[in-house]
């Protein structure tokens, strides 16, 4: 018997409303205090194609994807044969009894679900049956693994925002199915839940919403965007929360604006305009949109405009697999736009960090006066994750070196002059005025062409070189501002493993598995580029280092090679891109293969 | 008109005309763009605007360079080719008390920037959008732009095979609220139209034929000085009158007069010429532009105006404070708000 | 006395017609058989700003930029003070006598030119004087260094295409100035030309024209472009030569089309459409335009469409210095577009290679069915270089694996099936049909989304991975097709120097200088990415390797790090970007500094 | 109309209707796009086109996906969002004997693709350009597109604040040579217009209202089935007659009939309804569209056509061979040509 450690795959058809059923199960289990996670595998399509939901219960809190499941809930006749291949030996198959199936592979147990019969028995309105059908498996699964019906009710109440007209029929079907199973089936008892006490009340939220909330608590004032999967949810969450969080209840006025642009060329242009004008500004997109932002990102870098860009990655190149996850945009982002430049990149590893980096990115952008790109992905962004409640920003808003009328006057009194691109503090970061500043010395001319320290047009070779060298200094300044890499264990001479972003989830588990199997592996998680000091130390102190990532070319390894030629020979790549997040099993297998 | 001369002393705000100047131009001598820059200086001076209250935007091109050659005391952003509109759409939200002036070229607007131009107009963002239209790419040395007439011949390019894009018609089709056309060879009209545009609450599109003396000033070219002079067909004489000024009908001894009152109380006075033309009628405007195309008229004047069309700002209930001056405390919701949010996810 | 080894800087104002004078001098010297090179330093402006022309005479054939000049021709009062700083001790200063100048730095000799007087004396029409003024310095310089007047006449005949009405007044002024100098000045005799016998008749041509001609001899059928400095000349040269080279004299019909697009998004789209439809297709642009091509390049890679993109580099980031040269787009190009992909990059080092790669790029693109990017730069593209006559392609046109009706029928008979993305030959390159193929099995569906070997839509993880892994194989196939790196000397354990593109010119000279000074340095010139085998061998066999390039970040070194982690620690960067091409002196100074 | 039924046997070329089918659709049941795909199948079948002689293009969106759901035996390129026009502008040069059909959405055409759309039209590249216009982004789940009417309310998006882009007006403003509007709920008209479009030698723009049943089919929405059915105002009944067919005026018992002869000799026959409308008059077309906007009419039918406008192909003197079949020998100039070139640089 496996208690609090198993996984369930729900195989359904999109547009059939299975999301409600699946989320209900997720929330109910979470409410039992049992660590749970889930990911949606869905097609780029609106209605009628296969969709899967992989739910994992793990007392130790590991959330990585697993290659196999213990329980299959089969609602889609088209895919059932393939679905069965993913079930472990001895697994359970809950199957809509209308699906004809020759025979189960040896060792699996079949639990047929009389969906139609139970729906009829429920006496719920027939026009709702198409949606309620999924509640049948909720009920039977609840009985099978032991999900509290109370928690299910609570989850439904949550889902339907306490609209009883919706809660009731759903709950009714769940209960009828539960009762039917209880009365008619023998519970194999292989996989069971046991309620636990969580230290704190966990929240359930997707990364896009978390990022949007982070930005709103970061004082975001202007967002422009263009719809694209899987980033759309981020902008839509802004729209949803602005009335709640950024609107004056008295006057009804708001201090955050969201504009749906005509395309990504315009979205980034708007954001650069807003950032230049002193607004905290951001846009969100995915790979194809990022391509269209390349030129304006170069201008923002060169003209020193603070902006934040969220790239919620999906599988590329090209349109690729728009509804599947990957970490494939890293090198493109790092080297985006023609000419020499440096992009600051943040790499959130969970929804807590989506929130945290949501506000930090705005601070860092304004402090450095440069674009900051947050690389999330579909895995993080579109799935609902269990997490600790968001922590209120532990630091005041940093607006960077801005001169309003009085500040400028003071500076002028002190130094006699002010130049928009003067490196007064030696950190590469100049002082800026902002439009609306009415001081008669405040205005300056911003351009993408060469200029001197006083923002005057210049094609002088020395001016160009000096300016670009100053900009390079910002990289050093950035290292002090971006979130430092996180080190888990560090002992000289051992094997190291590096991961980042959502791959953290499986990587942590892989490290544990390797350690359990007797291979001592240390772990480093990169949270940002440029690399903070911990990264070099980690590379220095380890003999062989595996970089684990969800892309084909080992893009983080490539960037590590660029930055640390002295250690490049020690680096090994464990990279893969097939649209799924990496599993701990796969990571372990790769490392075992390479370690020999 | 004597107005310019009459006012060559400090204006009501105490600024001299020189307070509105920019750097010395580096454009070619005789370039139409220079004369437009001069008229912007005059218009702002006469309108008694505070230079610091104006923001300049431009794309890339000789035309777009010219934002450096007027209003040196105003903030300016010289952005990317064809993509000035989006910059302005971001920046002007920061402080709604500022006036935006965008300068673009015909290549910048009608080729690479057509989409941003049309969507800007559609959003009716309050700003003046001037197209310095010479039918050619000046800065890259003489290729056809989309406003070049069919049959135009240029060195190294051969003959233009396409029908031109009509910027004014494009603006009207995109639901513009202010569309005018003028000719750099007619500075007085240019100036009055700029003044009217600056007082408009919405996107004011000014399509100004501005000859490129270096690459497209052949007498037969529809964007040359001599063709313009020979074919200009003004719809009316335009005079712009500020809110607190009196309308002196003496200026218009002959002919009937029509007035359009702008959002800010200023008045545009039209002295009718032969044609009877009502610039507040969109159907008329469309028909006129269509006719002008067929008949090769260089129609100039105010083609269409709706002083009360809702602007993009009307769509947001923003506070009256300048958005970019709101202090951090007001931007970050408090801890309680986060507690509520966290609770809502449980 | 320096014979056939000196340099002259002409300092003028743009729009004043000095190009005619300068090119006349270049051509006349070339016709004397003396190796000569020249570069134009000009502002992003049409009329009235300072412009320089740096001409170098070097019997050994070195063409790199020099930090100083021996002779200054000063026609611009604005810049004369700064210009003088670049003149060597003992240098000569030919100066328009109307330019007021306090005193020359010690050791320089001043030769005042009575421009106005000589023009009047010439009795040429006054309205032409503004253009003819420059012919005064042609005449005086000719007298000073000994340029054959006959060769000058020939150069003017060439320039004005034998229009005597233009040749005569110009020649008249040259002669009058020459005679005046002869009669009134004492020739210091420090710098002299002596005619040489060239083995062959050299040609004078700019890289953009060379690239265009290469493409036309490569069977180019479709080009779409958008004007941008410094790439414009390439498309304009296509327009110029199509009537001569690709038009049937009988029928007047042409088989090569050039479309001026509305922007670069459209230009690349058109070219992808044309390449897909079986036309040899290309576009030309510079950095900002390349940004706008990022997304379509990803599609072309993924959908396996052969296209060629010329990026004639200028200084970035952003609009940068549009009329100044750099090699700053390398990493962006290498990693362009989101997701995993591989771009084939060719790096011509002189105008001969602009021509050669012009046709080869089209072959390689069609053979690999993938985009090929040619990275030229302003230095190569917009300057007129002395070169050997273009060599006729030594290889027949390679159209790659194309199936027309009969081919498809044969294949179907043999294999029973054909899949657009099947790797039949094991080289990663599939067979393609082309629209217009009327075989009823020929049509297939091209898309940027996932597909299987038969071009059917697929979101299957395995299909995706398999396809992307096959695409990766093309990199190996590419190594056999791209121009191999060129090795100059190779001895184990010595210091190596690597350069590419136009930097070759100074790098070769630097190597010679270093060798002369007793430091033995080997040289490798990279001509393409992916790296051919010579590169790895070179890295392996050398202890320390300097990579010399005209950008800030050492971009080629970065890519070498990515590809050769085992040797990364041996690499050193000598990189600089200030808008000027690198000089041999600077390279030597860098290497001496690092070698110690 | 019985035509479809009457012809459900092999057409003159020996193809059955099934030879024109595509893969089974994966779009939502009831989606307007599906019915348009069906009408493309019927039109090609009835026009007796060889499937291999058609090339399909599309951008990205539900609409753009639908190129997979008709004409499986034709080549197809599903390109980038908003940038299908440029693909076609390259590809169709390769073989001028082929017919191009492009499918786009309103987001694809009027938002991200506005510029490419307008420049395509301006170049008059011979192809059919269909906008499956539902006022919404289907594939990304229900955001406003630029053709959504002001005031439209969508879940998660709130209320649309902007005036809509009128695709037909945009096409006419860009000098289109064929502009029609139709409604997916009127399949017969859709089919006849597609046939006419396929016979047009130039860019034929078809703006077809095609309801999105999942995200924008509320009764009040201007892109819904019920609104369309209630408000369709056909300009005429259209019938397309192939060159070798006889015009049987019986089909049009009542009312006067007008004919436009197309470039290839086919004839479009219009049976006049109440309105007197001349689709060859551009000024009329502009006025009509302007009126329709003001009055909320869903005008359908052929709005404007100029069968003889020069196409982009007319601008190049290309040989009549298919460009992509020209053998290598003809593409590479000979050694002598290079010698001459080399000489010219000496
Ligand atoms: C993305 C991009 N493509 C091309 C260019 C090169 N470019 C600079 S100005 C210009 C055309 C300018 O023409 P227009 O807007 O008519 O201005 P004008 O110079 O005629 O005033 C072009 C194509 C650029 N700067 N950026
Ligand atoms: C560059 C880019 N941005 C965004 C997207 C995401 N996207 C896919 S389809 C679509 C909108 C489709 O709307 P429409 O053209 O109206 O087609 P419909 O689905 O309504 O038929 C968007 C924004 C994309 N594919 N590429
Ligand atoms: S090139 Fe033409 S547009 Fe540019 S500055 Fe000169 S005259 Fe004006
Ligand atoms: S979402 Fe709308 S547009 Fe897309 S397939 Fe469904 S009904 Fe059609
Ligand atoms: Mg222009
Ligand atoms: Mg749509």
């Amino acid at each position: 018997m496996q208690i609090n450690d198993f996984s369930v795959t729900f195989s359904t058809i999109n547009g059939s409303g299975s999301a409600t059923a699946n989320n209900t199960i997720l929330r109910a289990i979470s409410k039992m205090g049992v660590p749970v996670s889930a990911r949606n595998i869905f097609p780029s399509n609106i209605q009628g194609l296969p969709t899967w939901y992989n739910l994992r219960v793990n007392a130790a809190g590991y959330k990585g994807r697993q290659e196999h499941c213990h329980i299959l809930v089969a609602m889609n006749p088209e895919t059932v044969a393939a679905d069965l291949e993913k079930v472990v030996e001895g697994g359970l198959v809950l199957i809509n009894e209308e699906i004809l199936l020759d025979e189960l592979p040896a060792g699996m147990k079949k639990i047929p679900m009389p969906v139609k019969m139970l729906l009829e028995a429920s006496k719920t309105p027939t026009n709702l049956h198409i949606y309620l059908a999924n509640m049948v498996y909720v009920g039977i699964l609840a009985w099978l693994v032991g999900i509290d019906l109370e928690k299910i009710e609570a989850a439904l109440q949550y889902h339907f925002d306490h609209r009883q007209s919706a809660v009731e029929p759903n709950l009714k079907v769940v209960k009828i199915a539960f009762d039917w199973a209880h009365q008619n089936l023998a519970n194999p008892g292989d996989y069971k839940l046991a309620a636990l006490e969580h230290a704190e009340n966990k929240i359930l939220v997707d990364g896009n919403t978390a990022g949007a909330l982070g930005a709103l608590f970061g004082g975001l004032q202007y967002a422009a965007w263009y719809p694209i999967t899987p980033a759309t949810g981020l902008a839509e969450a802004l729209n949803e929360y602005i009335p709640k969080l950024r609107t004056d209840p008295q006057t009804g006025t708001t201090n955050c604006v969201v504009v749906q642009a005509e395309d990504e060329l315009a979205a980034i242009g708007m954001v650069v305009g807003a950032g230049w004008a002193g607004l905290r500004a951001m846009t969100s997109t995915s790979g194809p949109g990022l391509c269209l932002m390349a030129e304006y990102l170069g201008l923002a870098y060169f003209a020193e405009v603070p902006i934040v860009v969220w790239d919620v990655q999906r599988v590329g190149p090209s349109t690729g697999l728009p509804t599947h996850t990957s970490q494939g945009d890293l090198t493109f982002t790092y080297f985006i736009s023609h000419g020499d430049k440096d992009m600051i990149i943040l790499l959130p590893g969970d929804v807590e960090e989506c929130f945290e980096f949501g506000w930090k990115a705005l601070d860092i952008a304004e402090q450095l006066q440069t674009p900051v790109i947050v690389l999330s992905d579909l895995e993080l962004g579109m799935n609902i994750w269990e997490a600790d409640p968001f922590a209120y920003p532990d630091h005041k808003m940093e607006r960077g070196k801005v001169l309003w009328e009085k500040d400028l006057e003071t500076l002028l009194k002190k130094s006699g002059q002010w130049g928009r691109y003067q490196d007064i503090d030696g950190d590469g970061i100049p002082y800026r005025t902002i439009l609306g500043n009415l001081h008669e010395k405040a205005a300056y001319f911003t351009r993408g062409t060469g200029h001197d320290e006083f923002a005057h047009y210049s094609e002088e070779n020395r001016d160009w070189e000096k300016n670009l060298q100053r900009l390079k200094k910002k990289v050093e300044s950035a290292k002090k501002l971006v979130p430092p890499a996180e080190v888990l264990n560090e002992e000289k001479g051992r094997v190291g493993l590096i991961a980042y972003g959502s791959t953290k989830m499986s990587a942590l588990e892989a490290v544990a598995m390797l350690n359990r199997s007797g291979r001592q592996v240390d772990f480093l998680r990169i949270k940002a580029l440029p690399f903070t000091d911990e990264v070099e130390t980690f590379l220095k102190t380890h003999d062989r280092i595996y970089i684990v990532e969800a892309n084909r070319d080992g893009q983080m390894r490539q960037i590590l090679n660029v930055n640390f030629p002295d250690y490049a020979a020690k680096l090994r790549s464990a990279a893969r891109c097939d649209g799924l997040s990496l599993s701990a099993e796969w990571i372990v297998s790769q490392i075992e293969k390479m370690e020999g | 008109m004597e107005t310019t001369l009459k006012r060559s002393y400090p204006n009501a705000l105490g600024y001299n005309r020189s307070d509105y100047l920019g750097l010395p131009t580096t454009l070619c001598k005789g370039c139409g763009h220079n004369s437009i820059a001069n008229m912007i200086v005059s218009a702002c001076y006469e309108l008694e605007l505070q230079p610091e209250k104006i923001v300049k935007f431009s794309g890339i091109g000789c035309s777009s360079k010219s934002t450096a050659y007027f209003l040196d005391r105003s903030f300016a952003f010289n952005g990317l080719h064809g993509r000035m509109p989006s910059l302005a759409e971001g920046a002007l939200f920061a402080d709604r008390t500022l006036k935006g002036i965008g300068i673009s070229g015909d290549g910048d607007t009608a080729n690479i920037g057509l989409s941003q131009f049309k969507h800007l107009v559609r959003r009716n963002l309050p700003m003046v959008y001037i197209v310095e239209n010479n039918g050619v790419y000046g800065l890259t040395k003489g290729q056809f732009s989309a406003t070049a007439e069919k049959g135009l011949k240029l060195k190294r390019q051969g003959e233009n095979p396409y029908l031109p894009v009509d910027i004014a018609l494009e603006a009207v089709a995109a639901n513009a609220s202010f569309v005018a056309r003028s000719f750099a060879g007619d500075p007085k009209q240019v100036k009055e139209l700029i003044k009217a545009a600056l007082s408009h609450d919405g996107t004011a599109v000014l399509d100004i034929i501005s000859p490129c003396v270096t690459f497209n000033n052949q007498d037969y070219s529809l964007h040359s000085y001599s063709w313009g002079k020979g074919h200009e067909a003004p719809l009316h004489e335009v005079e712009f009158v500020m809110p607190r000024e009196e309308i002196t009908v003496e200026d218009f001894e002959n002919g009937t007069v029509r007035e359009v009152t702008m959002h800010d109380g200023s008045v545009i006075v039209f002295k009718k010429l032969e044609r009877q033309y009502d610039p507040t009628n969109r159907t008329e405007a469309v028909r006129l532009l269509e006719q002008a195309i067929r008949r090769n008229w260089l129609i100039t004047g105010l083609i269409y105006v709706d002083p009360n069309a809702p602007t993009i700002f009307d769509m947001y209930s923003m506070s009256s404070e300048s958005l970019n001056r709101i202090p951090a405390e007001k931007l970050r919701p408090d801890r309680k708000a986060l507690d509520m949010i966290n609770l809502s996810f449980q």
Side-chain angles (χ1 to χ4, degrees), chain A residues 388-445:
Chain A
D388 289 328
F390 296 136
Y392 196 77
D394 56 5
H395 201 288
K396 75 167 178 38
M397 260 171 71
E398 294 285 357
R399 305 285 326 235
K401 303 183 186 175
V402 171
L403 302 172
W404 284 106
E405 287 85 346
K406 276 193 201 156
D407 315 309
L408 179 58
E409 192 53 36
T410 312
L411 181 74
L412 286 174
K413 283 228 175 84
K414 216 181 84 192
S415 326
Q417 59 172 17
W418 161 74
R420 167 69 182 99
Y421 299 111
Q422 270 183 314
D423 186 6
I424 298 185
D425 304 326
D427 56 1
I429 307 165
Y431 286 77
R432 64 177 185 139
T433 56
I434 283 172
L435 55 85
N437 182 328
L438 298 182
H439 192 293
E440 71 170 24
K441 290 271 155 65
Y444 68 96
F445 198 102

Side-chain angles (χ1 to χ4, degrees), chain A residues 27 31 158 201-204 213 216-217 221-222 241 246 253-255 257-262 266 269-270 273 276-277 295-296 389-390 392-393 395 397 399 404-405 433-436 438 440 442-446, chain B residues 50 52-53 55 57 67-68 73-80 83 86-87 89-91 93-95 98 115-116 119 123 316-319 323-326 328 330-335 337-338 341-342 344-346:
Chain A
R27 187 168 300 273
K31 283 185 181 297
Y158 180 94
N201 273 328
K202 294 278 178 182
I203 63 173
L204 284 172
L213 285 168
L216 290 174
F217 277 86
Q221 293 168 285
Y222 187 98
Y241 283 100
R246 299 294 295 280
T253 60
T254 158
N255 56 31
V257 171
V258 179
V259 179
Q260 185 188 315
E262 61 271 33
M270 291 174 182
W276 174 71
E295 196 186 355
Y296 249 121
F390 296 136
Y392 196 77
H395 201 288
M397 260 171 71
R399 305 285 326 235
W404 284 106
E405 287 85 346
T433 56
I434 283 172
L435 55 85
L438 298 182
E440 71 170 24
Y444 68 96
F445 198 102
T446 306
Chain B
Q50 184 177 351
E52 285 77 13
K53 285 268 182 190
V55 196
F57 300 95
T67 38
R73 286 169 55 177
S74 305
F75 278 86
F77 202 144
N78 179 209
L80 295 182
R83 279 155 288 163
S86 53
L87 269 188
E89 282 159 330
F93 268 93
D95 185 341
L98 305 180
S115 176
Q116 292 217 347
H119 281 96
R123 294 192 179 97
Y316 294 89
S317 30
M318 283 155 59
S319 86
L323 199 51
N324 65 2
R325 300 227 190 208
I326 296 180
K330 284 212 190 171
L331 295 176
R332 172 166 291 168
D334 61 16
R335 276 174 198 277
L338 187 59
I341 296 279
N342 276 325
S344 77
F345 292 136
Q346 276 166 6

Side-chain angles (χ1 to χ4, degrees), chain A residues 12-305:
Chain A
T12 58
I13 290 173
N14 72 347
S16 75
S18 52
T20 304
N22 300 340
N23 286 334
T24 299
I25 294 170
L26 176 73
R27 187 168 300 273
I29 296 177
S30 176
K31 283 185 181 297
M32 291 173 69
V34 181
V36 60
S37 63
R39 30 180 76 66
N40 225 338
I41 315 288
F42 60 103
S44 173
N45 170 276
I46 306 300
Q47 192 187 90
L49 293 183
T51 318
W52 296 267
Y53 189 71
N54 293 327
L55 181 131
R56 178 179 185 185
V57 172
N58 182 278
Y62 290 121
K63 297 178 177 176
R65 191 176 64 81
Q66 294 190 296
E67 300 287 346
H68 293 91
C69 65
H70 305 93
I71 303 176
L72 171 69
V73 177
M75 298 289 283
N76 184 358
E78 302 270 315
T79 60
V80 67
D83 292 342
L84 284 169
E85 288 173 24
K86 299 284 177 70
V87 183
V88 296
E89 240 200 82
L92 309 179
V93 180
L94 272 64
I95 185 165
N96 186 338
E97 68 175 11
E98 285 169 68
I99 298 178
L100 301 174
L101 193 64
D102 297 344
E103 218 177 323
L104 282 190
M108 285 186 203
K109 296 175 203 159
K110 177 166 162 182
I111 304 179
M113 303 185 288
V115 175
K116 210 167 161 190
M117 184 271 277
L118 291 171
L119 281 172
E120 273 160 20
S122 74
K123 304 227 166 73
T124 46
T126 343
N127 62 337
L128 296 181
H129 281 188
I130 173 160
Y131 303 108
L132 293 172
N134 302 302
M135 289 297 145
V136 170
Y137 67 68
V138 176
I140 299 181
L141 187 72
W143 161 80
L144 188 70
V145 301
I147 311 173
D148 274 0
L149 280 188
E150 231 172 79
K151 303 294 187 202
I152 288 182
E153 179 170 358
L156 284 170
Q157 293 283 6
Y158 180 94
H159 187 87
F160 291 112
D161 210 7
H162 301 273
R163 263 184 301 114
Q164 298 315 320
S165 60
V167 173
E168 268 164 29
N170 279 283
L171 190 60
K172 198 164 177 194
V173 176
V174 172
K175 283 188 173 155
I176 283 182
F178 186 98
D179 291 344
W180 170 85
H182 186 64
Q183 283 152 24
N184 295 284
L185 302 175
N187 198 325
D190 299 328
Y191 307 104
K192 281 289 181 191
L193 288 168
L196 297 172
E197 284 302 321
H198 262 247
E200 220 177 335
N201 273 328
K202 294 278 178 182
I203 63 173
L204 284 172
V205 66
D206 62 278
N208 282 339
T209 302
L213 285 168
L216 290 174
F217 277 86
L220 180 77
Q221 293 168 285
Y222 187 98
W225 69 296
Y226 189 70
I228 189 164
T229 307
T232 296
L234 216 157
E236 288 185 340
L238 291 176
N239 278 330
E240 186 182 339
Y241 283 100
I242 284 172
K244 293 175 200 158
L245 292 174
R246 299 294 295 280
T247 304
D248 187 320
Q250 261 90 57
T251 62
T253 60
T254 158
N255 56 31
C256 183
V257 171
V258 179
V259 179
Q260 185 188 315
E262 61 271 33
D263 58 23
E264 292 89 347
L265 295 168
I268 184 85
M270 291 174 182
V271 165
V272 171
W276 174 71
L279 302 181
R280 304 211 121 185
M282 78 176 225
T283 182
S284 48
T285 189
S286 191
L290 191 65
C291 284
L292 294 177
M293 297 185 178
E295 196 186 355
Y296 249 121
L297 275 168
L299 176 57
Y301 168 77
F302 182 74
E304 304 181 54
V305 178

Side-chain angles (χ1 to χ4, degrees), chain B residues 33 63 105-107 132-138 145:
Chain B
H33 305 352
S63 32
D106 43 318
E132 301 184 341
N133 187 346
N134 54 17
V136 79
Y137 291 2
S145 84

Side-chain angles (χ1 to χ4, degrees), chain A residues 347-379:
Chain A
L347 301 161
D350 50 38
V351 289
E352 290 94 328
E353 284 179 354
C354 286
F355 180 84
E356 181 190 334
F357 295 3
W359 59 266
K360 274 199 178 145
L362 292 162
D363 283 352
I364 297 170
E366 287 198 330
Q367 286 174 289
L368 293 170
Q369 297 178 29
T370 205
V372 172
I373 303 171
V374 187
L375 281 188
S376 175
D377 59 18
L378 183 141
E379 172 90 347

